């Protein structure tokens, strides 16, 4: 989508969208009186019918009279709010893109003048950012033409703002995030017969074009390094496991220790010998969503040329079922040296991660490690789909991640980890059990007790995002399907690491 910023429309636009407040007043400083009156009447009619109550996202449309600069005028309600912040503006932009798409408009202008009380110089950038986030679709191998009732994608958007220069500069600086988020969504939406460890690596190789170093270890190298936990997970699949390492070396001091994001990259999770039920297997092409988020964060860091070292380690494997699959009761020794008794082959995420976190610490000398992935369904049961779980014994790191999540509209909720959980994990035949036999709900707290052996003394946190990788309905900033959750949060965290004192706005 092409985005332009202007103080006034230079030529006719097919559609013009303006804001409406919770009382139905038009928030536009540039409409002429006749059009204002037309829109006002339409709002009155909608109020009368009960279709306009002042709630965020309600819209009123009119066909403009002949001779107007627009053929269609759309009023979109921003709701009854005292303060308009950047998250609300993004939601507004997303709602605008969705509505314009439903109406079949591919080209439109949004009037931001008057939307926020004293129009903030950044308002138009945030509205455009939200519109771009929402303006996504994934159709892959579908050749059937869209039905007239289906939403179209916007191709061109003009933002009308009195602050066009500042807004445009900010938009250009934050829009690197959009490409990264959309890329993560694409990876997650890609069918698992197309995206598997080798093809994931092939795709990632194109990141060298933006200055990212790409390295990928194959099964033999994993074997040499003793990464038996990751190898065990991949053993039942015809697709061989890989470890993908992406590095953005932006720091002036090349010896600066990198921030390393370790993202779970299970390209499909059948559950293995402890096979999943049909219902739970449905979304399992998304079991690499943590890996996609880690990749996206490095991608946007490179796009923004952040002056720090940021890296991603993505353990890639398919958890499949076959005669060579690992099984319950197997004992494996992870690269960090602990032996683990396998209890359940569907608890594969912690095995993939334990070796990848070890690699980040022992082979990359990470300064900070943030793990992310769809590791345990207990995350969905505990928090639902509006928060991801956050685990860390490092209060400072937990606080910084929570703030980044807040700014990125990807909220985290901290959950416990402590040695109280340890006794439940003792195995008779190995150092540890892979999962506790006693609880399901606190699975995230337990798996932290295994992973900590890999992270050792490096500041480390885990983000549990099971259930957040897909949305089963359209949201204001994401159509139904893969969300790209975590991409923006980790991108924001990288940015905060690079510029610790700046305001945490985008
Ligand atoms: N990939 C799943 C977790 C998951 C569940 C993600 C639902 C998204 C939606 C993970 O590998 C898994 O299967 N975990 C098990 C752990 C259990 C055996 C302790 C689970 O959640 O059932
Ligand atoms: Mn599993
Ligand atoms: Zn899994």
């Amino acid at each position: 989508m092409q985005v332009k910023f202007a103080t006034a429309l230079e030529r006719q636009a097919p559609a013009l969208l303006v804001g409406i407040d919770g009382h139905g007043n038009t928030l536009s400083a540039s409409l002429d009186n006749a059009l204002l009156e037309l829109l006002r009447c339409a709002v009155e009619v909608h109020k009368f019918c009960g279709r306009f109550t002042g709630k965020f996202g309600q819209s009123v449309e009119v066909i403009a009279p002949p001779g107007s600069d627009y053929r269609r005028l759309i009023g979109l309600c921003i709701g009854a709010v005292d303060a308009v912040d950047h998250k609300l503006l993004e939601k507004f932009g997303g709602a605008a893109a969705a509505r314009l798409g439903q109406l079949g408009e591919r080209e439109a202008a949004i009037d931001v003048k008057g939307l926020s009380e004293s129009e903030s110089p950044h308002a138009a950038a945030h509205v455009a950012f939200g519109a771009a986030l929402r303006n996504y679709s994934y159709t892959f191998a579908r050749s059937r033409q869209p039905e007239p009732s289906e939403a179209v994608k916007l191709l061109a958007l003009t933002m009308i703002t009195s602050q066009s220069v500042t807004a445009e500069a900010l938009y250009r600086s934050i829009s690197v995030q959009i490409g990264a988020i959309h890329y993560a969504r694409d990876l997650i939406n890609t069918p698992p017969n197309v995206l598997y460890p080798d093809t994931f690596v092939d795709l990632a190789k194109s990141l060298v074009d933006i200055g990212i170093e790409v390295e990928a270890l194959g099964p033999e190298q994993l074997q040499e390094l003793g990464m038996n936990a990751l190898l065990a997970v991949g053993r039942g699949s015809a697709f061989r496991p890989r470890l993908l390492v992406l590095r953005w070396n932006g720091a002036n001091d090349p010896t600066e220790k990198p921030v390393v994001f370790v993202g779970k990259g299970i390209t499909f999770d059948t559950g293995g010998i402890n096979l999943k039920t049909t219902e739970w297997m449905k979304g399992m092409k998304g079991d690499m969503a943590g890996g996609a988020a880690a990749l996206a964060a490095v991608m946007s860091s490179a796009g923004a040329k952040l002056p720090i070292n940021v890296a991603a380690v993505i353990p890639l494997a398919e958890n499949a079922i076959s005669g060579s699959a690992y099984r319950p009761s197997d004992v494996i020794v992870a690269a960090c040296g602990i032996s683990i008794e396998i209890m359940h082959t569907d608890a594969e995420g912690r095995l993939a991660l334990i070796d990848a976190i070890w690699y980040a610490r022992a082979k990359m000398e990470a300064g900070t490690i943030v793990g992310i992935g769809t590791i345990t369904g207990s995350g969905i049961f505990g928090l639902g789909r509006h928060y991801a779980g956050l685990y860390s014994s490092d209060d400072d790191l937990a606080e910084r991640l929570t703030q980044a999540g807040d700014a990125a509209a990807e909220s985290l909720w901290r959950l416990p980890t402590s040695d109280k959980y340890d006794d439940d994990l003792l195995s008779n035949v190995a150092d540890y059990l892979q999962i506790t036999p006693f609880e399901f709900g606190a699975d995230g707290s337990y798996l932290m007790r295994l992973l900590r052996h890999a992270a050792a003394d490096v500041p480390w946190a885990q983000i549990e995002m099971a259930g957040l990788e897909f949305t089963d309905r359209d949201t204001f900033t994401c159509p139904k399907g893969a969300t790209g959750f975590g991409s923006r949060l980790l991108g924001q965290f990288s940015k905060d690491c690079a510029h610790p004192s700046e305001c945490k706005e985008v």
Side-chain angles (χ1 to χ4, degrees):
M1 178 176 73
Q2 194 198 19
V3 183
K4 283 195 290 189
F5 293 79
T7 48
L9 262 199
E10 289 147 15
R11 58 181 188 91
Q12 292 185 327
L16 176 74
L17 186 139
V18 301
I20 298 183
D21 71 14
H23 305 290
N25 304 314
T26 308
L27 301 169
S28 165
S30 51
L31 273 187
D32 66 35
N33 283 339
L35 288 179
L36 264 181
E37 186 57 18
L38 191 64
L39 195 58
R40 203 189 56 76
C41 290
V43 172
E44 286 308 317
V45 173
H46 279 72
K47 269 188 185 169
F48 184 77
C49 304
R51 291 293 161 95
F52 184 91
T53 58
K55 216 177 134 195
F56 179 93
Q58 290 175 336
S59 74
V60 172
E61 290 103 25
V62 292
I63 302 296
S68 307
D69 285 344
Y70 325 100
R71 68 171 178 234
R72 202 200 298 261
L73 204 57
I74 299 131
L76 180 67
C77 187
I78 195 160
V81 282
D82 303 330
V84 175
D85 65 4
H86 80 271
K87 281 188 267 187
L88 185 67
L89 289 165
E90 283 169 15
K91 251 174 73 177
F92 183 84
R99 192 70 199 123
L100 288 162
Q102 281 160 2
L103 292 169
E105 299 290 5
R106 293 173 199 276
E107 210 182 304
I110 302 181
D111 185 351
V112 184
K113 286 182 178 173
L115 195 58
S116 55
E117 210 161 288
S118 57
E119 192 194 348
S120 120
H122 295 162
H126 290 297
V127 173
F129 186 80
L133 273 184
R134 181 63 172 75
N135 198 37
Y136 171 83
S137 69
Y138 183 84
T139 47
F140 190 59
R142 170 176 156 175
S143 51
R144 179 167 43 84
Q145 288 304 308
E147 299 291 323
S149 60
E150 280 180 74
V152 301
K153 267 173 74 178
L154 278 170
L155 302 176
L157 188 60
T158 305
M159 308 302 300
I160 306 175
T161 164
S162 49
Q163 312 271 353
S164 62
V165 177
T166 337
E168 171 142 23
L170 179 70
Y171 181 75
R172 300 289 161 227
S173 80
I174 61 182
S175 61
V176 291
Q177 295 258 8
I178 294 161
I181 295 164
H182 286 184
Y183 195 79
R185 288 180 186 168
D186 280 349
L187 289 172
I188 298 161
N189 281 324
T190 303
N193 62 327
V194 177
L195 189 79
Y196 47 87
D198 283 341
T199 51
F200 195 119
V201 167
D202 289 344
L203 284 171
K205 281 183 182 155
S206 68
L207 296 175
V208 296
D209 295 347
I210 55 166
I212 294 172
E213 247 177 56
V214 180
E215 190 189 348
L217 311 189
E220 295 74 23
Q221 286 157 299
L222 298 177
Q223 186 102 51
E224 274 164 32
L225 290 164
M227 298 175 74
N228 301 312
L230 173 59
L231 285 167
V233 172
R235 209 151 55 211
S237 173
F239 301 130
R240 304 188 327 152
R242 306 286 295 265
L243 187 83
L244 176 63
V245 182
L246 306 171
R247 290 183 177 88
W248 165 249
N249 298 320
N252 295 325
D253 171 6
T255 64
E256 183 187 287
K257 291 184 170 185
V259 174
V260 184
F261 302 126
V262 180
K264 175 175 173 183
I266 300 301
T267 56
F268 194 76
D269 182 9
T270 67
I273 287 176
N274 297 105
L275 194 65
K276 285 186 184 292
T277 58
T278 308
E279 206 44 47
W280 282 101
M281 211 186 291
K282 273 182 187 158
M284 288 303 143
K285 70 172 181 180
D287 215 17
M288 34 54 71
L295 175 146
V298 177
M299 195 172 162
S300 60
S301 300
K305 301 207 176 334
L306 293 184
I308 50 165
N309 294 339
V310 189
V313 177
I314 306 171
L316 292 164
E318 182 185 50
N319 187 22
I321 180 167
S322 77
S324 58
Y326 79 130
R327 55 187 86 63
S329 297
D330 281 0
V331 171
I332 50 166
V333 180
C336 62
I338 63 165
S339 58
I340 303 170
E341 181 184 358
I342 302 304
M343 306 293 285
H344 200 304
T345 59
D346 200 8
E348 84 296 339
R350 66 208 70 196
L351 301 173
L353 268 252
I354 197 169
D355 281 350
I357 291 174
W358 167 81
Y359 189 89
R361 181 201 21 111
K363 299 288 163 190
M364 299 170 73
E365 291 185 55
T368 305
I369 299 175
V370 180
I372 184 165
T374 47
I375 304 181
T376 174
S378 65
I380 308 174
F381 293 114
L383 294 171
R385 293 168 200 263
H386 294 290
Y387 288 90
L390 171 65
Y391 299 88
S392 186
S393 48
D394 186 314
D395 291 343
D396 175 60
L397 180 56
E399 181 55 32
R400 289 195 292 139
L401 283 163
T402 306
Q403 278 179 17
D406 220 37
E410 295 183 329
S411 307
L412 298 178
W413 196 271
R414 197 165 170 192
L415 293 164
T417 169
S418 92
D419 59 9
K420 291 189 173 132
Y421 295 93
D422 285 353
D423 286 352
D424 296 346
L425 282 176
L426 297 178
S427 160
N428 285 332
V429 298
D431 296 331
Y432 294 100
L433 298 171
Q434 174 204 21
I435 58 175
T436 166
F438 305 119
E439 315 268 4
F440 175 72
D443 190 37
S445 298
Y446 281 105
L447 70 90
M448 287 297 286
R449 303 310 295 168
L450 293 183
L451 298 185
R452 77 189 175 91
H453 293 282
D457 51 356
V458 177
W460 158 65
Q462 265 308 116
I463 296 172
E464 175 54 61
M465 56 167 285
L468 283 87
E469 68 276 37
F470 291 112
T471 173
D472 52 15
R473 66 200 93 159
D474 292 348
T475 69
F476 290 119
T477 48
C478 185
K480 181 174 182 253
T483 57
F485 182 94
S487 308
R488 194 171 170 198
L489 188 162
L490 298 180
Q492 178 69 43
F493 179 77
S494 309
K495 208 166 158 185
D496 295 345
C497 290
H499 310 290
S501 56
E502 267 181 29
C503 90
K504 304 220 170 356
E505 249 227 325
V506 242

